[in-house]
Amino acid sequence: MASSTKYIFITGGVASSLGKGIIGASLAKLLQSRGFSVTIQKFDPYLNIDPGTLNPYEHGECYVTEDGAETDLDLGHYERFLNTPTSQSNNITTGRIYNNVITKERKGEYLGKTVQVIPHITDEIKANFFKLGEDGKYDVVITEIGGCVGDIESLPFIEAVRQAKWDIGAHNSLVIHLTLIPYLSAAKELKTKPTQHSVKQLLEAGIQPDILVCRTEHHLPLEVKKKLALFCNVQLNCVIESMDAESIYDVPLMMKKEKLDERVITKLKLTPKNPSELDHWKEFLGRLKNPTQEVNIGLIGKYVSLPDAYKSIIEAFIHAGAAMECKVHLKLISSEELNRDNIKDKLKELHGVLVAPGFGERGLEGKLEAVRYARTHKVPFLGVCLGMQVAVIEFAKNVLGLKDANSTEMNPDTVDPVIALMEEQKNIDQMGGTMRLGSYPCELIKGTKSSAAYGKTKIHERHRHRYEFNNKYLQQFEKNGMIASGLNPDTGLVEIVEIKDHPWFVGTQFHPEYKSTVLSPHPLFVRFIKAAIENKINQN
Ligand code: GLN
């Protein structure tokens, strides 16, 4: 354990989905703005080794890091707020902890001891709490504990927090408890009792929270704050109000106003390296809130009933929209609702079409129609991963005349497998962690829409897929106007396709959305919005 690194733990009470990830990311942003190097990690109490195998309907999007870890979507918020990459070490699940312990047990590392939750599981959790702080790279490590206090499955994490606080000693760690203060409209009253109970539950586990962050729909009167302070043994100025925000990007400034960062700095005896510097953030908010134009973009996918399944894409549009001072009205459209007869009607209001990533055959027909519409009506198009593959299939079918063209994911026996499995993937029978994952280099061809968007030719982007463009067909595609504008320099795999004779039609095998942040909006999303604005102007 690096002695100079400070550790902040964030627990949650009363209800889930209060936004621990956003509070953590906002605090991290405020500390970063004072010159500290900060990272955030998330500990999830479920038994999956990672969220890679979870259905997006269960848990929202799976976020992929540079090193190819499939992680919780909160890591996306950390990167978008902090503009620094996270890694496998930033997301640990109970499944991974048990897997590590059981692997050690099988290797005989416990020397004949009975392996138990305490101390072996808790020791493994603690080792992971401290891992990122070990090399002294970070002044502060923030750890978000998933779930709610009182859940059976998060008990070992809470016990590990208790021990960790004790191990690192005073002023080196603190616990922030995020809680809900419900408003009973019939009584016209804010209620503190649920919070009192959840703090009692923490106390039973041996943890006294240092700061309460209270989610609320109404301002907390001083009386309510006093009551919370008295019954929860927290200093009055450490009862922090967190009102519902219009945008998640407002939260850092709201927390600054509430002095969350100052309380943390005082309690951890930190010395800020510079005065708080948030000019860029404020500029971003200024552009976000004062758009000079607006466009309608369609996001075509199969998980649209749970927008969290497309979290990073949705946020990338917010960043790109702000960069262009353009309000992006994003319409989530289920691909299963689209067919040749209704496509025009369903998409006619759109100034740009994005076909989303995904797995499996369901909704393929609707996605093909959406691509065909965008291609033939010259509507700006961005295809992401499966979206790019569908664009390739559509082009093969309707331009090259290969009527049976498909991906072998959808039809293993297709006559024209324009998208197919890579050799290395053919013998894999496990599901978890077996895709092409994480950051790969890509070389852009000069003079293309892609190289114009990036303004350079060497890029790195993150992947999460099994299937690839089948290079056997490349010449035929290029002769007919769909070119490979980005290639993997090591393997020759096609990473980007675009149509030359179209205002803006780009498909990427990688996921650009994972790298879009407030500080660096993704160039492809920015160019796509620009093309949508131009399309709208031309229409009028
Ligand atoms: N299902 C496709 C593949 O595995 C695309 C995956 C994705 O869109 N992330 O290649």
Side-chain angles (χ1 to χ4, degrees):
M1 186 194 330
S3 56
S4 58
T5 303
K6 310 277 185 176
Y7 292 88
I8 298 173
F9 297 97
I10 305 185
T11 58
V14 180
S16 57
S17 307
L18 294 181
K20 283 195 291 278
I22 302 296
I23 291 293
S26 300
L27 173 60
K29 181 81 227 166
L30 294 178
L31 294 173
Q32 192 190 48
S33 80
R34 292 167 178 267
F36 297 113
S37 71
V38 191
T39 189
I40 321 188
Q41 52 187 353
K42 177 155 194 206
F43 282 63
D44 276 312
Y46 50 75
L47 284 168
N48 306 61
I49 300 274
D50 62 42
T53 52
L54 289 176
N55 183 331
Y57 278 132
E58 292 266 332
H59 231 80
E61 151 191 292
C62 171
Y63 184 78
V64 178
T65 57
E66 288 287 294
D67 64 348
E70 297 177 280
T71 70
D72 186 82
L73 57 78
D74 272 347
L75 270 77
H77 291 310
Y78 307 162
E79 290 203 11
R80 290 187 280 272
F81 276 54
L82 297 181
N83 204 43
T84 56
T86 54
S87 70
Q88 178 66 74
S89 312
N90 295 73
N91 190 199
I92 304 287
T93 67
T94 295
R96 188 174 294 278
I97 296 288
Y98 272 79
N99 200 38
N100 293 351
V101 169
I102 291 168
T103 308
K104 282 187 200 162
E105 188 274 333
R106 291 289 84 183
K107 283 192 195 153
E109 287 185 22
Y110 295 110
L111 304 171
K113 285 251 180 273
T114 309
V115 181
Q116 294 180 294
V117 173
I118 301 171
H120 301 99
I121 293 294
T122 44
D123 279 354
E124 183 66 25
I125 297 173
K126 282 196 291 177
N128 281 280
F129 281 166
F130 299 135
K131 203 164 159 198
L132 287 169
E134 259 156 15
D135 58 6
K137 223 168 90 191
Y138 297 108
D139 302 311
V140 181
V141 175
I142 300 179
T143 302
E144 178 192 342
I145 306 290
C148 268
V149 258
D151 295 350
I152 292 179
E153 52 181 20
S154 54
L155 276 176
F157 288 141
I158 300 292
E159 165 62 11
V161 171
R162 184 193 70 78
Q163 292 183 18
K165 262 194 106 170
W166 187 249
D167 291 347
I168 22 189
H171 307 301
N172 290 324
S173 78
L174 60 80
V175 173
I176 298 176
H177 190 54
L178 177 62
T179 175
L180 174 72
I181 312 292
Y183 179 76
L184 292 190
S185 43
K188 295 201 170 39
E189 251 185 308
L190 286 158
K191 290 298 190 188
T192 64
K193 196 70 85 190
T195 299
Q196 295 180 38
H197 281 299
S198 90
V199 170
K200 285 221 167 70
Q201 233 155 0
L202 266 183
L203 287 168
E204 259 171 46
I207 297 174
Q208 167 63 56
D210 301 279
I211 295 174
L212 292 180
V213 175
C214 306
R215 276 297 299 274
T216 173
E217 289 172 29
H218 297 268
H219 284 294
L220 300 182
L222 185 60
E223 283 318 302
V224 171
K225 285 191 171 183
K226 277 187 180 164
K227 201 166 164 187
L228 284 163
L230 181 65
F231 287 113
C232 302
N233 326 310
V234 172
Q235 286 166 323
L236 182 58
N237 66 8
C238 289
V239 178
I240 305 279
E241 168 188 290
S242 172
M243 289 278 286
D244 290 355
E246 191 187 313
S247 149
I248 56 169
Y249 300 106
D250 288 327
V251 180
L253 297 185
M254 286 167 60
M255 288 302 105
K256 188 170 164 53
K257 205 164 146 233
E258 284 290 307
K259 301 192 165 49
L260 176 61
D261 55 336
E262 285 181 34
R263 300 298 169 244
V264 166
I265 285 168
T266 313
K267 287 200 172 287
L268 291 177
K269 294 199 184 310
L270 283 162
T271 312
K273 301 184 183 177
N274 51 257
S276 179
E277 203 281 294
L278 285 162
D279 291 353
H280 191 94
W281 196 269
K282 290 180 190 159
E283 257 170 55
F284 162 79
L285 282 177
R287 285 194 305 271
L288 181 69
K289 299 200 169 191
N290 300 291
T292 53
Q293 42 207 341
E294 47 190 322
V295 291
N296 300 328
I297 303 289
L299 186 162
I300 321 291
K302 74 172 180 185
Y303 309 111
V304 292
S305 57
L306 183 76
D308 268 3
Y310 301 111
K311 195 81 207 167
S312 293
I313 293 181
I314 295 172
E315 298 306 319
F317 276 122
I318 294 177
H319 309 152
M324 294 301 300
E325 293 183 7
C326 176
K327 169 91 193 142
V328 177
H329 299 284
L330 194 61
K331 314 244 181 276
L332 271 55
I333 301 171
S334 165
S335 45
E336 286 170 275
E337 278 172 21
L338 303 176
N339 55 49
R340 189 157 290 197
D341 297 331
N342 68 12
I343 194 80
K344 198 163 176 196
D345 200 43
K346 295 259 185 194
L347 305 192
K348 65 175 188 290
E349 306 284 315
L350 302 178
H351 307 111
V353 171
L354 179 140
V355 175
F359 294 83
E361 220 210 327
R362 198 155 55 81
L364 178 66
E365 215 40 56
K367 287 181 188 167
L368 284 167
E369 287 307 326
V371 172
R372 201 170 87 101
Y373 175 87
R375 180 174 60 78
T376 54
H377 289 78
K378 307 266 188 236
V379 177
F381 172 85
L382 179 58
V384 176
C385 207
L386 181 65
M388 169 268 198
Q389 297 176 351
V390 176
V392 167
I393 298 168
E394 193 278 331
F395 198 84
K397 279 180 186 288
N398 299 327
V399 180
L400 307 185
L402 308 172
K403 291 291 167 225
D404 185 53
N406 213 332
S407 159
T408 52
E409 178 181 11
M410 317 301 168
N411 175 9
D413 303 318
T414 170
V415 183
D416 285 303
V418 288
I419 302 290
L421 216 49
M422 292 177 287
E423 261 332 293
E424 313 86 90
Q425 297 279 353
K426 285 189 177 157
N427 298 321
I428 289 173
D429 54 7
Q430 285 210 357
M431 288 299 272
T434 55
M435 287 185 261
R436 172 142 85 108
L437 285 166
S439 181
Y440 284 85
C442 171
E443 209 67 47
L444 304 177
I445 312 294
K446 283 205 180 100
T448 58
K449 294 180 177 82
S450 309
S451 68
Y454 282 93
K456 57 184 176 185
T457 55
K458 285 189 192 338
I459 58 163
H460 281 81
E461 292 283 1
R462 298 183 201 171
H463 292 249
R464 182 177 188 248
H465 56 100
R466 290 200 170 80
Y467 298 82
E468 303 279 353
F469 184 94
N470 185 344
N471 271 331
K472 270 201 280 188
Y473 292 87
L474 184 55
Q475 263 199 341
Q476 211 178 335
F477 273 86
E478 296 211 314
K479 259 206 306 233
N480 287 280
M482 179 178 267
I483 59 161
S485 55
L487 293 164
N488 181 313
D490 306 319
T491 57
L493 286 170
V494 172
E495 309 286 43
I496 317 182
V497 294
E498 57 187 57
I499 293 179
K500 276 207 243 168
D501 182 25
H502 187 287
W504 209 83
F505 188 107
V506 174
T508 63
Q509 185 57 82
F510 52 79
H511 291 258
E513 70 274 19
Y514 291 143
K515 282 180 80 163
S516 183
T517 70
V518 166
L519 212 68
S520 0
H522 196 284
L524 288 179
F525 278 86
V526 175
R527 265 317 267 113
F528 177 49
I529 294 301
K530 190 158 182 256
I533 296 169
E534 285 158 9
N535 176 30
K536 186 181 174 189
I537 293 170
N538 291 341
Q539 274 176 20
N540 293 335

